[in-house]
Every structure is written in structure tokens, then in C-alpha cells.
Amino acid sequence: MKQFSAKELQERIQKYIDGLDFSQGPQDLYDPIDYVLGLGGKRLRPVLMMMAYNLYCEDVEKIYSQAAGMETYHNFTLLHDDLMDKADMRRGKSTVHKKWNENTAILSGDAMLILAYRLMAQDCIADKLPQVLTAFGKAALEVCDGQQWDMEFEDRKEVLVDEYMNMIRLKTSVLLAASLQIGAMLAGASERDASLLYEFGVRIGLAFQLQDDFLDVYGDPAVFGKNIGGDILCNKKTYMLISALEKADDGLRGELLHWIDATDYVPVEKIAAVTHIYNVLGIDSLCRNAIDQLYEEGIALLDKVEVEEARKDILTAYVRGMMNRNL
Amino acid sequence: MKQFSAKELQERIQKYIDGLDFSQGPQDLYDPIDYVLGLGGKRLRPVLMMMAYNLYCEDVEKIYSQAAGMETYHNFTLLHDDLMDKADMRRGKSTVHKKWNENTAILSGDAMLILAYRLMAQDCIADKLPQVLTAFGKAALEVCDGQQWDMEFEDRKEVLVDEYMNMIRLKTSVLLAASLQIGAMLAGASERDASLLYEFGVRIGLAFQLQDDFLDVYGDPAVFGKNIGGDILCNKKTYMLISALEKADDGLRGELLHWIDATDYVPVEKIAAVTHIYNVLGIDSLCRNAIDQLYEEGIALLDKVEVEEARKDILTAYVRGMMNRNL
């Protein structure tokens, strides 16, 4: 049974997405959709869906529509999140509410969500539609829950590590998890396998997000692709900051709060000072260990999936790549 | 076979909607959803769906979930439209972006759209799910198209009557039409009957909207429930204004444009002057005739539905009530 490489799957879904034509109505409603879907990206979610499907079946073209539906949903969340976060740029280009306007961003996003459902339902493999929609709808709603918690946490003084982990599970992990789960469902995998792949996806998603938090502080700027310390400068409540506030004694806590409340500072000094506090508290290894543990838990769950071990290599390598573990 | 009155159907779906519990996640995300769905209203769309179903089957409780899904979708559009239109009030209460804030209105609306799909798919009568979702998704997307045209028309100097009719078809009619169509589909009606009911709904929806435009100028304030002339004061591009601009000679057109551009005027004078121009141009009977024609076309389509005539009486009476034709 043929197995596709990550590269092949990404190219195939990219071509499928490029071929989608949404331009049936008012141009100013559909142009932003083409624009957002055309910004590119790694197409992580559809690739994961197809990889899960490809563990059991080789006719991956049968689920292009569902894979594209998942990507369309994900891009819809980026569009509306950028509007809510008042972000100007996404992947080096203007966001929709900047390039067009806020109302266009609202309404094009709404249309995109409807299109995501259309793709999800379209040509769905016989009998799988109800369970696919249930899994998709659950994840889609949880992503909204996650975004809501994320916005609420911004205005809160204190956030617990557990609350943070729950928020990133909802905002990031469940959609990766549901992609894998739906791919397995569509392939006719057992319920147990679909659940294991879902839980594998949850762990990998959490590890992935914690790694993002970690690399903002300890990453190599040349590799990370963003400036180091961005989260520190804007006091973003990451795993690093929340853990530090939880672990710090009164002295270090005061120092940390001083930098959080500071309005007049030299950026490199704030980054250096906060990083130093993290170092003193051992936040670097705390985070590193949490990532490792989640990753290992994920792999252990994948091990239990009842598919010949060698068939899992592509998925494992892909996830290792996501985690930069092949560097 | 039992037939339910409009009142019974409205009470049943109201009770079902009241019993829905969305409060599974962050309160500030789900409270606005309860709030919007709790504002009441006539539940027109679910009642129409159940009436179409009840033409063929009596177990209307089998489609409560789909009927509530349609109402949830409709209320989602009100929530996001009010945000885009910057409307402060809806049914005598603060709109969500006023009572909470804009981000809450965006995100709660998104969650509502996902919940609408969940209700639409949930416990859907066997084998009907794919066609129900196709019909629902098409209508849902067309409502977005309609809202986009509506917003674009506001900034345009000239809008043709045909363009306006297309806009209100998309923004208002197709959801009423799809409610009837989906009700028929779920009851296992023939494709022809489902299409006839859809087209009946389109005509009734158009007639309903034109009547709203008409009553803003010629209605009895005690019956209409809004102040007369509201559309005239804000230069809303209604059927009345667009028709008048299309029919007027240079002199009357100039007079009309003078009132449209006027910034300093006595409201009652503007209303009286514009109404006078409408009278001179015969816009009142033009609109009245258009409403009558659409209504008659609708009834003629309903006549063709292959159901014993007497079974259609409840639906006919309900639509006559919507059109105030029983007064």
C-alpha cells in the first residue's frame, strides 16, 4: 500500500486548495478568502489528516475536501483572531481588516466558516458524515473557547499553569488532534485508533505550543524566524512567565512584576533581566522537561495504534520535524 | 394525520430553544448566545420548517433540532449584522457589542454559527443529512452575499431595482425558502415539492421585505410598531427610494436628491416632501402591485405542491398573517 511523503501530501493539498473557486458572489466578500488561503503556510492540519488516513488507506484524494475544510476553518480562525487581536501582519502580509476593513474581516470570516463546513460535508465518504461533523464541530467550538480564555487571560492578573495548559489545548491542540482523528475515521479505523491518534495530537499540539513559548526566549533568532524576547516585551502570559510567577519567591516575584509594570525601559535590558530570572528559577529546564514529557506521551500513544510500526514512520518524522527534533 | 397550529409550533420550538444548554465553556462566550436567543421573536423560520414538514408528517418533534439550528443561524446573522451596522438596539434591548464588547460579539457569533451547524446535523433523520447540509450551507452563504451587497449599496450612488431585489432575495428570502425546503426534505417530500416550497418561500420573503419598505412610508404607526418615515430620514435605499430615483424625471429627481443631500432639515418636512414625491410618481401603487404579484406567484407555487389542499390552509393563513392580509 502506497505511502505518501509529507512533501507529496502538502503539494497535493496545496494544489487542491489553489483549485478551489469561491468567487461566486460579491468580489469584496470572496477576495479576502482567496487572499487568506493564498498566504500559504505548511498546511499542517490537512497533512496530518491525510497522514492519519494514509496509515490505513492509500486513496488520499478521497479526503481532499475534508482536509481543505480543516485548513479553511483554521484560516478562518486566523482571520477573526487577527481582527480581535488587532494584529496588522500575518505571514509578512497585511491582515484582512487592514487591507480591506473590519466589516469585511467579520463577514468574509463568516463566509469562510460556512465554506469550511461545505468542504467538510462535500463528497464525504459514505456513512462517515455524522461522526466527522460531530468531531469537527466539537473541535471548532473548543477553538472558540480557547480564544475566549486567551483574551480573558490578557486582562487577568493571575493565570495558573493548569489554566494556561487548558487554554492552549483548546486554542491549538484540539484542531491538530481532530485532524488526525477525522483522517482515521474517514479511513474506517477503529474507534480506539481514532481516539489514540486524537490524544497523540493533543500532546503534540501542547508540546508544539510550549516549544514556541520556549523558543521566544531561548531560540536561535536565525532558526526561530522571529525576534527573540517578543513575548517578554509585551508581557505575554506564556508558559514561561506563568511558571515563573508561580515558582518565584517574594523577591524574584517583585523583580518580575517590576519589569511587567515598567513603561520606560530599554528593550534588550528587559529581555535580559527577565531571561535571567527565568534562568535562576530553572524555567528553561522546567519547560524543556514539560515539552519532552508531552512529546514522549504522544509517541507512546501513537505506539498503541494498531498499524504496522513501519507505517507510522512518516507521521513520526513529520512530528519530529514540527518539533525541530531532527535538527 | 394531526396538524399543528402556528401557535402550537411556535410554543413547541420556543420550549425546545429554552431548553438548550450551551453553557459548557467560558461564560462570557456563551452568555451572549443565550441572551440573543432569549430576545424572542416570532421564530418564523423554525415555524415555517415545521409547517412544511407537517404537510407530510405529524411527528414534528423529530425536526426540533434542525428547526432550532435554523433559528440559531438566523440569530447569529442578527448578532454580526448589528455589529457591522453599529446598531445599538435589537428588539428593545442592547445589542451584544454594546452590552459586552466588539470582540465578544465577533467570537460569540462564530460559536453560534458552529452551534447552528451542530443542531442542524444532530439527530438528523436518516439519510437526509447530506442534502439538508447542502441546502442549509447554500442559503447560509447567500445570506452573507446579501449582507455584503447591502453594505456595498449603502456607499453607492445608484442601485438598480433589479439589484435591490437580488440583494433582499439573498439577505432575507433564501433563509425562509430554505426553511420550508428543508422541512419538506426531512419529511421525505418529492424533490419537486421541496423546490416548489423553496420558490414559494422566495416570493413570500420578497413580498414581506417590500411590505416592510412600504409600511415605513404608508403604514399606520399604531400597527406598524416603528415610527413612520425612518427609512426616509436616513436615506435608506429601499424599494421605494430606488424606484423613485429610477422613475423620476430630471425635476423630481433633483428635488429628491436635494432632500437626500440635505443636512439641515425638519424631519416631518423631509418625510412629507419625499412621501409627496413618491405619491406623484405612483410609487405607492407600484410597490403595492409588486407585493401583490409576488404574493400571488407564491400562492400559485404552493398550489402546485402535491398535498391535499386543506392541509395547506395553516401555512397559507400563517403567511397571510405575516403579510397582514388578515387585517
Side-chain angles (χ1 to χ4, degrees):
Chain A
M1 187 164 59
K2 174 161 172 59
Q3 266 200 305
F4 295 91
S5 70
K7 190 164 166 286
E8 283 173 303
L9 292 174
Q10 191 185 328
E11 283 168 3
R12 280 165 169 248
I13 198 63
Q14 184 61 50
K15 202 172 156 193
Y16 183 83
I17 291 170
D18 289 343
L20 293 173
D21 185 12
F22 297 136
S23 56
Q24 65 220 326
Q27 209 179 340
D28 272 5
L29 183 63
Y30 293 95
D31 279 355
I33 298 176
D34 283 336
Y35 176 77
V36 170
L37 279 174
L39 290 178
K42 294 184 292 291
R43 311 301 188 193
L44 218 55
R45 290 150 197 84
V47 167
L48 286 173
M49 190 188 288
M50 292 187 291
M51 279 185 180
Y53 183 85
N54 199 201
L55 290 176
Y56 307 91
C57 303
E58 62 179 9
D59 51 355
V60 292
E61 64 282 0
K62 283 215 173 138
I63 67 160
Y64 286 168
S65 186
Q66 288 69 42
M70 192 57 92
E71 182 69 8
T72 302
Y73 178 77
H74 171 61
N75 279 265
F76 144 74
T77 66
L78 300 181
L79 199 175
H80 272 191
D81 284 3
D82 284 342
L83 172 63
M84 289 183 268
D85 300 343
K86 309 217 177 299
D88 293 354
M89 305 290 280
R90 161 77 58 187
R91 293 187 179 129
K93 297 237 194 176
S94 290
T95 47
V96 169
H97 63 281
K98 282 284 159 187
K99 193 174 160 73
W100 284 270
N101 56 58
E102 295 196 0
N103 280 355
T104 297
I106 295 170
L107 195 60
S108 289
D110 294 347
M112 238 175 136
L113 175 48
I114 294 165
L115 287 167
Y117 268 100
R118 187 165 87 182
L119 288 164
M120 201 54 77
Q122 192 173 280
D123 305 323
C124 187
I125 290 170
D127 301 339
K128 305 295 181 196
L129 183 56
Q131 54 179 306
V132 165
L133 283 178
T134 301
F136 175 61
K138 179 172 177 287
L141 203 57
E142 287 178 339
V143 171
C144 295
D145 291 354
Q147 169 69 3
Q148 176 69 27
W149 289 129
D150 195 15
M151 293 193 300
E152 287 189 21
F153 289 175
E154 274 174 44
D155 303 325
R156 264 215 233 158
K157 261 217 127 64
E158 194 159 40
V159 176
L160 303 174
V161 171
D162 283 353
E163 292 177 313
Y164 179 75
M165 295 303 288
N166 186 48
M167 183 275 282
I168 62 173
R169 181 182 66 81
L170 295 166
K171 187 164 169 167
T172 305
S173 295
V174 296
L175 208 60
L176 300 170
S179 299
L180 289 157
Q181 178 194 26
I182 291 172
M185 277 176 174
L186 287 166
S190 68
E191 245 180 75
R192 183 171 178 272
D193 272 12
S195 291
L196 286 166
L197 283 161
Y198 179 90
E199 292 297 336
F200 161 70
V202 168
R203 302 307 186 287
I204 296 303
L206 292 171
F208 190 54
Q209 182 59 53
L210 291 195
Q211 166 148 299
D212 207 55
D213 290 1
F214 179 85
L215 292 177
D216 182 77
V217 183
Y218 295 107
D220 174 349
V223 178
F224 188 44
K226 303 187 209 173
N227 289 328
I228 296 300
D231 291 346
I232 291 177
L233 290 179
C234 68
N235 298 327
K236 194 169 166 198
K237 292 194 186 72
T238 66
Y239 182 84
M240 316 296 286
L241 178 56
I242 294 167
S243 301
L245 286 167
E246 249 186 45
K247 284 183 82 76
D249 60 16
D250 287 352
L252 277 177
R253 196 185 157 83
E255 238 180 274
L256 203 45
L257 290 174
H258 157 82
W259 282 107
I260 288 173
D261 293 333
T263 50
D264 191 26
Y265 56 81
V266 181
V268 289
E269 283 179 10
K270 175 167 174 176
I271 294 171
V274 172
T275 303
H276 178 72
I277 297 170
Y278 289 169
N279 292 342
V280 171
L281 291 168
I283 302 300
D284 49 346
S285 56
L286 185 79
C287 188
R288 208 55 269 171
N289 290 341
I291 294 167
D292 288 345
Q293 200 192 321
L294 286 163
Y295 181 81
E296 297 305 332
E297 280 177 23
I299 295 297
L301 287 158
L302 181 61
D303 281 344
K304 292 190 194 164
V305 171
E306 286 182 328
V307 165
E308 196 194 325
E309 283 310 307
R311 286 198 73 80
K312 301 174 188 169
D313 289 349
I314 288 179
L315 183 53
T316 315
Y318 188 63
V319 165
R320 241 191 345 256
M322 276 170 65
M323 302 295 300
N324 292 315
R325 287 185 174 244
N326 47 1
L327 295 178
Chain B
M1 188 164 58
K2 174 161 173 58
Q3 266 201 304
F4 295 91
S5 70
K7 189 163 165 287
E8 283 173 303
L9 292 173
Q10 190 184 330
E11 282 168 4
R12 280 165 169 247
I13 198 62
Q14 184 60 51
K15 202 172 158 194
Y16 183 83
I17 290 170
D18 289 343
L20 293 174
D21 185 12
F22 298 137
S23 57
Q24 66 221 326
Q27 210 180 339
D28 272 4
L29 184 62
Y30 293 95
D31 278 355
I33 298 176
D34 284 336
Y35 176 77
V36 170
L37 279 173
L39 289 178
K42 293 183 292 292
R43 311 303 187 191
L44 218 55
R45 291 150 196 82
V47 168
L48 286 173
M49 190 189 287
M50 291 187 291
M51 279 186 180
Y53 183 85
N54 197 201
L55 290 176
Y56 307 91
C57 303
E58 63 178 7
D59 51 355
V60 292
E61 64 281 0
K62 284 216 171 136
I63 68 160
Y64 285 168
S65 185
Q66 286 70 41
M70 192 57 92
E71 183 69 8
T72 303
Y73 177 77
H74 172 61
N75 280 265
F76 144 75
T77 66
L78 300 181
L79 200 174
H80 271 191
D81 283 3
D82 283 343
L83 172 63
M84 289 183 268
D85 300 342
K86 309 214 177 301
D88 293 354
M89 305 289 281
R90 161 76 60 185
R91 293 187 179 129
K93 296 237 193 177
S94 289
T95 47
V96 169
H97 64 280
K98 283 283 159 188
K99 194 174 160 73
W100 284 269
N101 57 57
E102 294 198 358
N103 281 354
T104 297
I106 295 170
L107 195 60
S108 289
D110 293 347
M112 236 174 138
L113 175 49
I114 294 164
L115 288 167
Y117 268 100
R118 187 165 87 182
L119 288 163
M120 201 52 78
Q122 193 172 279
D123 305 323
C124 188
I125 291 170
D127 301 340
K128 305 295 180 195
L129 183 57
Q131 54 179 306
V132 165
L133 284 178
T134 300
F136 174 60
K138 179 172 177 287
L141 203 57
E142 286 178 338
V143 171
C144 295
D145 291 354
Q147 169 69 2
Q148 176 69 25
W149 288 129
D150 196 15
M151 293 194 299
E152 288 188 21
F153 288 175
E154 275 174 44
D155 303 324
R156 266 215 232 157
K157 260 216 129 62
E158 193 159 41
V159 177
L160 302 175
V161 170
D162 282 354
E163 291 176 313
Y164 179 74
M165 294 303 289
N166 186 48
M167 183 276 281
I168 62 172
R169 181 182 66 82
L170 295 166
K171 187 166 169 166
T172 305
S173 295
V174 297
L175 208 61
L176 300 170
S179 298
L180 290 157
Q181 178 194 27
I182 291 171
M185 276 176 175
L186 287 166
S190 68
E191 245 180 75
R192 182 170 177 274
D193 271 12
S195 291
L196 285 166
L197 283 161
Y198 179 90
E199 292 297 336
F200 160 71
V202 168
R203 301 309 186 288
I204 297 303
L206 291 172
F208 191 53
Q209 182 59 52
L210 291 195
Q211 167 149 296
D212 207 53
D213 290 1
F214 179 86
L215 292 177
D216 181 77
V217 183
Y218 296 106
D220 175 349
V223 179
F224 188 44
K226 302 186 209 172
N227 289 329
I228 296 301
D231 290 347
I232 291 176
L233 290 180
C234 67
N235 299 326
K236 194 167 165 201
K237 291 196 188 71
T238 65
Y239 182 83
M240 315 297 285
L241 178 55
I242 294 167
S243 301
L245 286 167
E246 250 187 43
K247 283 183 84 76
D249 59 17
D250 286 352
L252 277 177
R253 195 184 157 84
E255 238 180 274
L256 204 46
L257 291 173
H258 157 81
W259 282 107
I260 288 173
D261 293 333
T263 50
D264 190 26
Y265 57 79
V266 181
V268 288
E269 282 179 13
K270 176 167 175 177
I271 294 171
V274 172
T275 303
H276 178 71
I277 297 171
Y278 289 169
N279 291 342
V280 171
L281 290 168
I283 302 300
D284 49 346
S285 56
L286 185 79
C287 188
R288 207 57 266 172
N289 289 341
I291 294 168
D292 288 346
Q293 199 193 323
L294 286 163
Y295 181 81
E296 297 305 332
E297 279 177 24
I299 295 298
L301 287 158
L302 182 60
D303 281 344
K304 291 190 194 164
V305 171
E306 286 181 329
V307 165
E308 197 195 325
E309 284 311 306
R311 286 197 76 78
K312 300 174 189 170
D313 289 349
I314 288 179
L315 183 53
T316 314
Y318 188 63
V319 165
R320 239 189 349 252
M322 277 171 63
M323 301 296 300
N324 291 316
R325 284 181 177 248
N326 47 1
L327 296 178

